[in-house]
Amino acid sequence: MKNFVVKTIANAAALAVAIWLLKGITLSGENTARKVLTLMAVALLFGVVNFVVKPVVKLLSLPLFILTLGLITLVINALMLLLTSWLAGQLDLAFHIEGFWTSLIGGLIISIVAWAMHVILPDEQD
């Protein structure tokens, strides 16, 4: 449970940084509390997408992973972010990404910030 909370907080922080840095990623709400709740909901949704869909996509793209020496991971991260944006729209969450290139740069930012947050935040040790 603690690991789940840490990953959600890391995803929320990473999404917040991407929203702050990129004009093409928007999160709207009436007030700050509403924006924070929306950000946490999107972070949960992003975590679910990464947990359920990403392993299947990575398995299916294994030949491309080998051919591109792992650079296809950037494209997969961008697609997972676009899928999260689409699902957020379906769930009436005020989160939107404008286009693939914004998603690609956003995925790179989110990967870097989430990695840094996982280093900083405590995690369960096995």
Side-chain angles (χ1 to χ4, degrees):
M1 181 66 176
K2 183 178 175 185
N3 193 23
F4 173 74
V5 172
V6 168
K7 286 184 185 237
T8 302
I9 291 170
N11 280 340
L15 283 165
V17 170
I19 291 165
W20 179 61
L21 289 176
L22 298 174
K23 196 162 57 166
I25 301 177
T26 56
L27 177 79
S28 55
E30 299 89 38
N31 54 31
T32 304
R34 182 74 175 155
K35 286 182 182 180
V36 169
L37 287 174
T38 303
L39 181 62
M40 292 305 291
V42 170
L44 283 169
L45 184 62
F46 187 60
V48 168
V49 166
N50 280 330
F51 181 74
V52 175
V53 178
K54 192 173 183 178
V56 174
V57 172
K58 281 180 114 175
L59 180 65
L60 294 175
S61 67
L62 186 61
L64 286 174
F65 186 81
I66 294 167
L67 185 65
T68 64
L69 301 175
L71 290 177
I72 193 72
T73 304
L74 294 172
V75 175
I76 292 172
N77 287 344
L79 294 174
M80 294 304 106
L81 199 53
L82 281 174
L83 179 60
T84 301
S85 175
W86 180 78
L87 288 172
Q90 298 299 313
L91 297 172
D92 290 329
L93 296 172
F95 176 75
H96 180 68
I97 298 174
E98 296 177 15
F100 175 77
W101 295 109
T102 302
S103 179
L104 185 71
I105 296 168
L108 184 61
I109 292 169
I110 289 170
S111 295
I112 293 168
V113 174
W115 170 80
M117 291 299 294
H118 283 105
V119 168
I120 293 169
L121 292 173
D123 201 1
E124 289 181 0
Q125 300 296 325
D126 290 329

